[in-house]
Amino acid sequence: MIEAVAIGAVAGGTSILLPTLGEVVSERSGVINLGTEGSMLAGALAAYIVGIQTGNPWIGIVAGLAAGAALAMVHAFFVLVRGANQIATGLVVTFLGLGLTAMFGQDYVGQGVVALENVPIPGLSQLPFVGPVLFDHDPITYLSLLAVPALWWFLARTKAGLRLRAAGERPQVLRTFGTNERTVRALAVTAGGALAGLGGAQLATAFTRNWSEGMTVGRGFVAVGLVIFAAWDPRKALIGAYLFSGAIALQLQLQAQGSDISRYLLSALPYLVVIVSLAALSRRRVNAAPEALDHVFEHAS
Amino acid sequence: MKPTRLALAAGMSVLALGAAACSSSSETSTGGTTGGSGDESDLTIGFLYVGPKDDYGYNQAAYEGSQAVQAAFPNAKILQAENVPETAEAETVMEDMIEQGADIIFPTSYGHLEFAQNVAKDHPDTIFVHQGGLEGEDKLDNLGTYFGTVYEPVYTAGVAAGEATESNKLGYVYAFPIPQTLANINAFALGAQSVNPDAEVIAVSTGSWCDPGLQAQAAKSLIDQGADVLTQHQDCTKTIIEAAEAAGAMSVGYHFDASDLAPNGWITGSEWNWGPLYTDIVQTVVDGKFVDSPYNGDFRVGLQTGDNPFVQSSYGSMVSAETQAKIDEIKQSFIDGGSPFAGPVLKQDGTIVWESGQQPTYEEVETMDFFVEGVTGKID
């Protein structure tokens, strides 16, 4: 039971973790992107269609990444070039993604895709508990696990990461060094969209092997919420994403075991678990918010 | 205009364009140019769908029904409207169809009913036949509802699943415990138990008609519990069938024949075949016999009363000739007056609902609010 829940946490968590990491990158540079849900859908559909057309799931994955990035660039354009309100633009981008994917995806509903299969890691996948939980997944899941320390290192230890954080905290400092914060933010938003697109691609071509209209069902918005509870830290984003997905796995396992707990309470479980655990985990989360994000809400009012 | 407003306006206009493109009604075909009887050449029939006509599910089945009508009445003009929301917009679409000369309108989604009733009151010369609803207090001479008995082929699919299972555990993924879903789950369980008294149905709810991510997890949890047959009442069905196949489990389909997705594990399934019923309704109207016909009320049809538009899908290779013969016998017993819910039927807690010799009416089935004995799951 514990092992089954842990496997479900990782297997189902990838499509939540990747957009959460993407949102961390975007928000660390000072831009909130509520278009994440749209980027995920664009990534899911692009990976599905290109995967079917080329017969190669990897080309599909790249297409998913690019589609997620492309939609995020729409957000970046209106927010950074036109100075539009971030919250409103993000929502519009999400609805744009929903509408466009519903339209272009119509002919692909229920069609077979060349799935990205699980690749058990030789040796490690044989280990008790850890093996099936961590080392028997699709390649994108491994990639997302590696992305967490990589992103943390990038943000905390590299010059480029420092510039990104500066854009989100003290853009005027960045300007004195001759770097335009808008360029940094545009790159960060685009990269964030690419990660969301990758998450959508994994959901469609590896985890569910399916395309249907609106198939992300709010995972992009869950990611935006998780960023706040993870205090903009990629490592806590991992915990948040796996807790959320683990709680989904737990509630479904409990249902299958014929548990007496109310069905309504069980379906609320993922949200409750994440709110309670991460609230306890990150007491200082309010201070952790990139300062530039404050302006978003000042302008919004 | 401030940049903010510009962005919003741009986004909204794109959305508006999309919405307009989606729900516009279009005329598909006027059929053959010559031949056919003269009185049907000016026959115009409108169909409304709540979703796209190619969703591999409910709406596609209705659309295919409209194509059967076209084939039967080649000179009739068929009007199609996809993505019609269950709002007052449905009234606009129907008024528009009447302006184009519609004699018969098929609003095919559950939530279209009240809007159809509103339009029907103003247009007594147009016949409205609604799919799945119940008329209620308003009995109009130009409106009726129709539906099949969904649970009959689900019961016989349960028989096939009960024969096929080795673990005696059958997994059922559903969205919400609405009566139609409960009737399906219960019929499936009773069908399986009729040939395999040890068969247990494990029902897991995703709280969504289509969330493939949750479906994948739900399928996994059922397989972890030892279920070796998975079935579902979901709008998008592919994920669960593929998950079963990948895990070496068997599957029973819903909405459409997915046997090509599960070459090893496909048992059978249930799917819609609206053509014959739609055609008969149209014929009744053409003959001028709609008023006081069974279609001018709440028409429900099962094997007992005619041709059920909900039929069984093809069999997979593991279903033996013996099982198929048994299922044919059961179908015959339904034709002869039997029901999947013929008593004794017991609730989960063992209380009796229908005694031996009793069987429910269609209305009693459509208001079902319990799981039968042998189902593991919780409604609230």
Side-chain angles (χ1 to χ4, degrees):
Chain A
M1 166 82 172
I2 294 170
E3 182 174 300
V5 169
I7 294 171
V10 177
T14 306
S15 57
I16 296 168
L17 174 59
L18 284 166
T20 308
L21 293 177
E23 190 68 21
V24 166
V25 173
S26 181
E27 290 192 18
R28 272 299 187 82
S29 81
V31 180
I32 292 178
N33 185 3
L34 292 185
T36 302
E37 177 87 356
S39 280
M40 285 190 77
L41 283 167
L45 181 64
Y48 204 76
I49 292 181
V50 174
I52 288 174
Q53 296 295 349
T54 63
N56 184 334
W58 283 104
I59 301 178
I61 293 290
V62 173
L65 197 116
L71 207 57
M73 282 163 92
V74 174
H75 184 65
F77 173 77
F78 280 109
V79 165
L80 299 171
V81 181
R82 308 297 308 184
N85 177 283
Q86 295 188 7
I87 306 296
T89 310
L91 288 174
V92 169
V93 166
T94 279
F95 285 118
L96 187 66
L98 255 170
L100 287 176
T101 54
M103 190 167 76
F104 288 113
Q106 265 184 33
D107 295 343
Y108 291 89
V109 173
Q111 278 215 16
V113 70
V114 188
L116 203 59
E117 299 288 347
N118 281 8
V119 183
I121 296 188
L124 291 175
S125 64
Q126 305 301 318
L127 294 170
F129 191 79
V130 186
V133 171
L134 286 180
F135 301 111
D136 189 2
H137 292 286
D138 64 277
I140 305 299
T141 296
Y142 300 136
L143 202 68
S144 71
L145 274 166
L146 295 175
V148 172
L151 183 59
W152 175 83
W153 177 80
F154 169 80
L155 289 172
R157 295 278 187 272
T158 67
K159 239 179 208 171
L162 182 66
R163 283 206 192 95
L164 191 147
R165 282 185 290 133
E169 302 283 356
R170 292 277 191 283
Q172 54 275 39
V173 174
L174 209 54
R175 261 175 252 140
T176 40
F177 286 97
T179 306
N180 187 338
E181 81 268 16
R182 283 204 281 187
T183 315
V184 177
R185 286 175 179 170
L187 287 171
V189 171
T190 307
L195 284 169
L198 188 62
Q202 192 267 353
L203 184 70
T205 62
F207 191 54
T208 71
R209 305 173 180 203
N210 198 359
W211 163 259
S212 62
E213 191 180 324
M215 71 176 292
T216 50
V217 206
R219 282 174 178 72
F221 290 112
V222 167
V224 175
L226 283 178
V227 170
I228 301 164
F229 285 104
W232 293 267
D233 182 336
R235 298 166 299 182
K236 286 181 190 161
L238 175 97
I239 297 171
Y242 284 2
L243 268 176
F244 187 82
S245 170
I248 290 175
L250 175 67
Q251 71 102 344
L252 291 167
Q253 291 278 350
L254 285 174
Q255 278 197 57
Q257 287 182 1
S259 156
D260 257 345
I261 305 169
S262 157
R263 204 174 50 80
Y264 298 104
L265 189 66
L266 284 177
S267 53
L269 194 67
Y271 304 93
L272 294 175
V273 164
V274 168
I275 288 171
V276 171
S277 324
L278 286 173
L281 202 88
S282 48
R283 264 163 290 155
R284 288 174 302 160
R285 66 185 180 283
V286 177
N287 298 338
E291 266 185 26
L293 293 185
D294 294 347
H295 298 289
V296 176
F297 296 102
E298 278 166 27
H299 285 299
S301 57
Chain B
M1 191 181 263
K2 280 170 71 178
T4 316
R5 297 227 184 103
L6 184 73
L8 266 176
M12 290 306 171
S13 54
V14 169
L15 288 178
L17 275 174
C22 281
S23 68
S24 65
S25 71
S26 66
E27 179 187 318
T28 47
S29 144
T30 49
T33 46
T34 53
S37 57
D39 53 295
E40 64 182 58
S41 60
D42 55 355
L43 179 66
T44 302
I45 308 165
F47 286 87
L48 282 75
Y49 315 100
V50 71
K53 65 174 165 49
D54 42 13
D55 66 350
Y56 275 90
Y58 188 87
N59 295 295
Q60 182 164 346
Y63 172 75
E64 282 167 7
S66 79
Q67 295 307 290
V69 170
Q70 179 79 83
F73 300 91
N75 290 331
K77 189 163 96 179
I78 308 272
L79 309 170
Q80 307 278 4
E82 298 174 66
N83 296 306
V84 180
E86 296 171 329
T87 64
E89 195 185 323
E91 289 185 26
T92 316
V93 173
M94 284 184 267
E95 295 276 3
D96 183 50
M97 284 177 166
I98 291 167
E99 219 153 87
Q100 295 181 59
D103 304 295
I104 310 170
I105 292 180
F106 285 79
T108 62
S109 188
Y110 192 79
H112 288 154
L113 178 61
E114 62 167 297
F115 307 105
Q117 286 172 322
N118 290 344
V119 180
K121 279 173 204 158
D122 297 341
H123 299 276
D125 294 337
T126 305
I127 304 293
F128 295 78
V129 271
H130 178 264
Q131 186 161 309
L134 292 168
E135 264 191 305
E137 300 296 301
D138 278 335
K139 306 284 183 208
L140 298 169
D141 278 349
N142 61 332
L143 187 140
T145 73
Y146 60 89
F147 212 56
T149 42
V150 181
Y151 47 88
E152 279 175 352
V154 173
Y155 180 93
T156 48
V159 172
E163 292 277 9
T165 182
E166 281 165 17
S167 66
N168 294 331
K169 288 182 177 175
L170 315 170
Y172 214 121
V173 181
Y174 70 100
F176 304 102
I178 58 169
Q180 199 196 92
T181 298
L182 295 174
N184 279 349
I185 295 174
N186 290 339
F188 190 74
L190 292 169
Q193 289 163 4
S194 74
V195 290
N196 180 350
D198 296 330
E200 174 197 2
V201 170
I202 307 173
V204 166
S205 147
T206 59
S208 166
W209 287 107
C210 179
D211 184 335
L214 278 182
Q215 289 176 345
Q217 301 251 47
K220 177 96 184 15
S221 69
L222 288 165
I223 286 164
D224 285 347
Q225 283 307 309
D228 65 351
V229 176
L230 296 190
T231 187
Q232 56 184 312
H233 189 179
Q234 295 270 280
D235 275 353
C236 53
T237 59
K238 184 168 178 280
T239 298
I240 291 166
I241 290 168
E242 292 232 27
E245 187 76 359
M250 295 173 276
S251 49
V252 170
Y254 196 72
H255 280 321
F256 79 108
D257 192 321
S259 49
D260 54 332
L261 289 177
N264 297 317
W266 179 258
I267 298 177
T268 184
S270 329
E271 60 192 67
W272 302 95
N273 177 25
W274 286 116
L277 178 60
Y278 286 6
T279 306
D280 192 53
I281 292 174
V282 172
Q283 189 62 55
T284 307
V285 176
V286 168
D287 294 346
K289 293 176 180 161
F290 179 78
V291 181
D292 295 331
S293 77
Y295 300 130
N296 186 202
D298 292 320
F299 178 74
R300 292 296 181 270
V301 62
L303 291 171
Q304 228 180 79
T305 46
D307 285 332
N308 190 353
F310 207 57
V311 297
Q312 195 160 344
S313 305
S314 63
Y315 289 112
S317 54
M318 89 273 284
V319 183
S320 66
E322 200 183 313
T323 307
Q324 296 187 22
K326 196 177 285 176
I327 288 172
D328 286 342
E329 262 174 49
I330 293 169
K331 278 184 190 157
Q332 189 58 48
S333 78
F334 292 161
I335 294 170
D336 296 340
S339 158
F341 296 109
V345 171
L346 295 106
K347 285 190 193 179
Q348 257 175 334
D349 60 10
T351 52
I352 263 209
V353 196
W354 295 299
E355 309 253 8
S356 185
Q358 276 188 326
Q359 67 183 45
T361 62
Y362 288 134
E363 267 169 15
E364 283 175 304
V365 174
E366 285 188 20
T367 51
M368 196 176 273
D369 61 355
F370 58 89
F371 281 132
V372 296
E373 199 173 45
V375 176
T376 298
K378 213 169 144 54
I379 287 176
D380 47 16

Coordinates of all heavy atoms in Angstrom, one line a residue, chain A residues 5 7-14 16 240-250 270 274, chain B residues 217:
Chain A
V5 N 1.4 3.8 -3.2 CA 1.1 5.3 -3.1 C 2.4 6.0 -3.5 O 2.3 7.0 -4.2 CB 0.7 5.7 -1.6 CG1 0.7 7.2 -1.5 CG2 -0.7 5.1 -1.3
I7 N 4.7 5.0 -5.5 CA 4.9 4.8 -7.0 C 3.9 5.8 -7.7 O 4.3 6.5 -8.6 CB 4.6 3.4 -7.5 CG1 5.6 2.4 -6.9 CG2 4.5 3.3 -9.0 CD1 5.3 1.0 -7.2
G8 N 2.7 5.9 -7.2 CA 1.7 6.8 -7.8 C 2.2 8.3 -7.6 O 1.9 9.1 -8.5
A9 N 2.8 8.6 -6.5 CA 3.2 9.9 -6.2 C 4.2 10.4 -7.3 O 4.2 11.5 -7.8 CB 3.9 10.0 -4.8
V10 N 5.2 9.5 -7.6 CA 6.2 9.8 -8.6 C 5.7 9.8 -10.0 O 5.8 10.7 -10.8 CB 7.4 8.9 -8.4 CG1 8.5 9.3 -9.5 CG2 8.0 9.0 -7.0
A11 N 4.9 8.7 -10.3 CA 4.5 8.5 -11.7 C 3.5 9.6 -12.1 O 3.6 10.2 -13.2 CB 3.8 7.2 -11.9
G12 N 2.6 9.9 -11.2 CA 1.6 11.0 -11.5 C 2.1 12.4 -11.2 O 1.5 13.4 -11.6
G13 N 3.2 12.4 -10.4 CA 3.7 13.7 -10.0 C 4.5 14.5 -11.0 O 4.6 15.7 -11.0
T14 N 5.0 13.8 -12.0 CA 5.9 14.4 -13.1 C 5.1 15.5 -13.8 O 5.7 16.6 -14.0 CB 6.3 13.3 -14.1 OG1 6.9 12.3 -13.4 CG2 7.3 13.9 -15.1
I16 N 2.9 17.3 -12.7 CA 2.7 18.5 -11.8 C 4.0 19.2 -11.5 O 4.1 20.4 -11.4 CB 1.9 18.0 -10.5 CG1 0.6 17.5 -10.9 CG2 1.8 19.2 -9.5 CD1 -0.1 16.7 -9.8
G240 N 6.1 19.2 -2.8 CA 4.7 19.6 -3.0 C 4.1 18.8 -4.1 O 2.9 18.2 -3.9
A241 N 4.7 18.6 -5.2 CA 4.2 17.9 -6.4 C 3.9 16.4 -6.0 O 2.9 15.9 -6.3 CB 5.1 18.0 -7.6
Y242 N 4.9 15.8 -5.3 CA 4.8 14.4 -5.0 C 3.7 14.2 -3.9 O 3.0 13.2 -3.8 CB 6.1 13.8 -4.6 CG 7.0 13.6 -5.8 CD1 6.6 13.9 -7.1 CD2 8.3 13.0 -5.6 CE1 7.4 13.7 -8.2 CE2 9.1 12.8 -6.7 CZ 8.6 13.1 -8.0 OH 9.4 12.9 -9.1
L243 N 3.6 15.2 -2.9 CA 2.6 15.1 -1.9 C 1.2 15.1 -2.6 O 0.3 14.3 -2.2 CB 2.7 16.2 -0.9 CG 3.6 16.0 0.3 CD1 3.6 17.4 1.1 CD2 3.0 14.9 1.2
F244 N 1.0 16.1 -3.5 CA -0.2 16.2 -4.1 C -0.6 14.9 -4.9 O -1.7 14.4 -4.7 CB -0.2 17.4 -5.1 CG -1.5 17.7 -5.7 CD1 -2.4 18.5 -5.0 CD2 -1.9 17.3 -7.0 CE1 -3.7 18.8 -5.6 CE2 -3.1 17.6 -7.5 CZ -4.0 18.4 -6.8
S245 N 0.3 14.5 -5.7 CA 0.1 13.3 -6.5 C 0.0 12.0 -5.6 O -0.9 11.1 -5.9 CB 1.2 13.2 -7.5 OG 1.1 11.9 -8.2
G246 N 0.7 12.0 -4.6 CA 0.7 10.9 -3.6 C -0.7 10.8 -3.0 O -1.2 9.7 -2.7
A247 N -1.2 12.0 -2.6 CA -2.5 12.0 -2.0 C -3.6 11.5 -2.9 O -4.6 10.9 -2.5 CB -2.9 13.4 -1.5
I248 N -3.5 11.9 -4.3 CA -4.4 11.3 -5.2 C -4.3 9.8 -5.3 O -5.3 9.1 -5.2 CB -4.1 11.9 -6.7 CG1 -4.4 13.4 -6.7 CG2 -4.9 11.1 -7.7 CD1 -4.1 14.1 -8.0
A249 N -3.1 9.3 -5.3 CA -2.9 7.9 -5.4 C -3.5 7.2 -4.1 O -4.2 6.2 -4.2 CB -1.4 7.5 -5.5
L250 N -3.3 7.9 -2.9 CA -3.8 7.3 -1.7 C -5.3 7.3 -1.7 O -5.9 6.3 -1.3 CB -3.3 8.2 -0.5 CG -3.8 7.8 0.9 CD1 -3.3 6.5 1.3 CD2 -3.5 8.9 1.9
P270 N -6.0 15.5 -1.7 CA -4.8 16.1 -2.2 C -4.6 17.5 -1.8 O -3.5 17.9 -1.5 CB -5.0 15.9 -3.7 CG -5.9 14.8 -3.9 CD -6.8 14.9 -2.7
V274 N -1.6 18.9 0.9 CA -0.6 19.9 0.4 C -0.6 21.1 1.3 O 0.4 21.7 1.7 CB -0.7 20.2 -1.1 CG1 0.1 21.4 -1.4 CG2 -0.3 19.0 -1.9
Chain B
Q217 N -4.3 6.7 -12.6 CA -4.1 6.4 -11.2 C -5.1 5.4 -10.7 O -4.9 4.5 -9.9 CB -4.0 7.6 -10.3 CG -3.0 8.7 -10.7 CD -1.9 8.7 -9.7 OE1 -1.3 7.7 -9.3 NE2 -1.4 9.9 -9.3

